[in-house]
Amino acid sequence: MNVLIVYAHPEPRSLSGSLKDFAVNHLQQAGHQVQVSDLYAMQWKAQLDAADTLAPLVGAHYDATLDSRCAFDQQLQAADIAAEQEKLRWADTVIFQFPLWWFSMPAIMKGWFDRVYANGFAYGVGEHNEQHWGDRYGEGNMTGKRAMLVVTTGGWESHYSPRGINGPIDQLLFPIQHGMLFYPGFSVLPPLVFYRVQKSAQERFAGWCDTLATRLDTLADTAPIAFRQQNGGDYAIPALTLKDTLAKGKSGFAVHVK
């Protein structure tokens, strides 16, 4: 299996760095091919702007959607963007590893998505009509590939429980898993979250590695989150609302999971 790890943490000697190194070693020893995009080490440019296209601007001013598409179609994207897209084409499974900072990923990883997910590559694909609203949410260029989040957080697991003060972890991660991974077609595996990482990390590290190893050994077999496909018949098109016959009386993120 070809595995890409997109990793964001500024300190190589951190717990996150140690877990990433363990994952690379474990996967390679199991015979997998591994590439790592270490965003801080790469000094990844986070902001999406006109410097990302080597083509002339489509209009009088920079338009992120139009100019992104023009650059993608003409193969005139910035070299770092094109390189990451090629890694995604190569990968069978992509692991996104990051610390949970202010209820989301670090800005540098968000910038990876902003720039690498070009129009024509991750969005803006497929035909739009009364039965099919583009290739997205279960369809798209990442179809057939798997993705998984590996997240570290300082909070207790109970803080992220259904009644926890921080909100349920599945809902906090929904915009990433559903909106950034399932959208372009990834099959999204349940996340692996390590809690209270600042507390007794040295004593607990071996156990965390065992847990991570189990998940890595089952990347190909773990059932993905059962997100509803946009064009699978569950949504009214073009309104893209869940049909009234499904999840009656319910609303929110949970209705988009079968």
Side-chain angles (χ1 to χ4, degrees):
M1 183 189 298
N2 294 339
V3 182
L4 171 63
I5 300 176
V6 183
Y7 167 76
H9 196 287
E11 176 48 66
R13 296 165 296 183
S14 65
L15 170 69
S16 290
S18 297
L19 289 171
K20 180 262 295 176
D21 292 343
F22 173 84
V24 171
N25 252 345
H26 188 84
L27 287 165
Q28 289 176 336
Q29 296 214 353
H32 302 295
Q33 302 300 309
V34 183
Q35 293 192 64
V36 179
S37 290
D38 184 339
L39 301 183
Y40 281 95
M42 295 161 63
Q43 297 185 316
W44 178 261
K45 171 181 169 285
Q47 70 271 22
L48 171 68
D49 56 29
D52 292 335
T53 176
L54 307 180
L57 297 184
V58 174
H61 58 83
Y62 175 66
D63 183 303
T65 299
L66 295 180
D67 287 303
S68 171
R69 184 56 179 257
C70 179
F72 177 77
D73 287 345
Q74 297 186 36
Q75 299 183 24
L76 290 173
Q77 301 174 105
D80 57 348
I81 293 174
E84 293 305 296
Q85 291 172 350
E86 192 55 38
K87 291 177 188 177
L88 286 173
R89 293 187 183 98
W90 168 86
D92 301 306
T93 297
V94 185
I95 296 170
F96 295 90
Q97 184 188 339
F98 58 90
L100 193 68
W101 287 353
W102 288 110
F103 299 91
S104 187
M105 59 180 59
I108 197 169
M109 182 175 280
K110 176 57 166 61
W112 184 94
F113 281 95
D114 288 346
R115 298 181 64 225
V116 174
Y117 271 26
N119 185 5
F121 180 75
Y123 74 101
V125 300
E127 182 182 353
H128 286 66
N129 56 47
E130 294 300 314
Q131 289 79 41
H132 185 101
W133 202 255
D135 295 343
R136 58 183 200 165
Y137 290 117
E139 299 174 282
N141 286 330
M142 299 300 110
T143 301
K145 300 177 183 292
R146 296 184 149 223
M148 182 177 78
L149 302 183
V150 176
V151 182
T152 54
T153 181
W156 297 21
E157 186 170 1
S158 62
H159 298 176
Y160 295 94
S161 65
R163 294 172 62 86
I165 186 67
N166 289 339
I169 191 66
D170 288 340
Q171 292 192 27
L172 293 175
L173 297 178
F174 184 90
I176 301 172
Q177 296 186 134
H178 186 262
M180 298 163 76
L181 300 181
F182 187 61
Y183 185 108
F186 280 112
S187 296
V188 185
L189 306 186
L192 177 57
V193 183
F194 295 105
Y195 300 95
R196 298 185 70 189
V197 295
Q198 286 93 350
K199 304 294 183 183
S200 306
Q202 191 169 2
E203 294 84 349
R204 300 165 67 199
F205 182 69
W208 287 335
C209 287
D210 289 343
T211 300
L212 178 55
T214 298
R215 291 299 305 271
L216 295 174
D217 289 341
T218 55
L219 285 174
D221 305 317
T222 299
I225 300 169
F227 290 129
R228 299 179 187 273
Q229 285 200 353
Q230 175 189 276
N231 297 309
D234 288 353
Y235 296 91
I237 298 176
L240 296 181
T241 52
L242 192 64
K243 291 181 177 178
D244 293 339
T245 53
L246 300 171
K248 290 183 179 180
K250 299 179 180 179
S251 62
F253 292 154
V255 303
H256 302 295
V257 182
K258 293 181 181 179

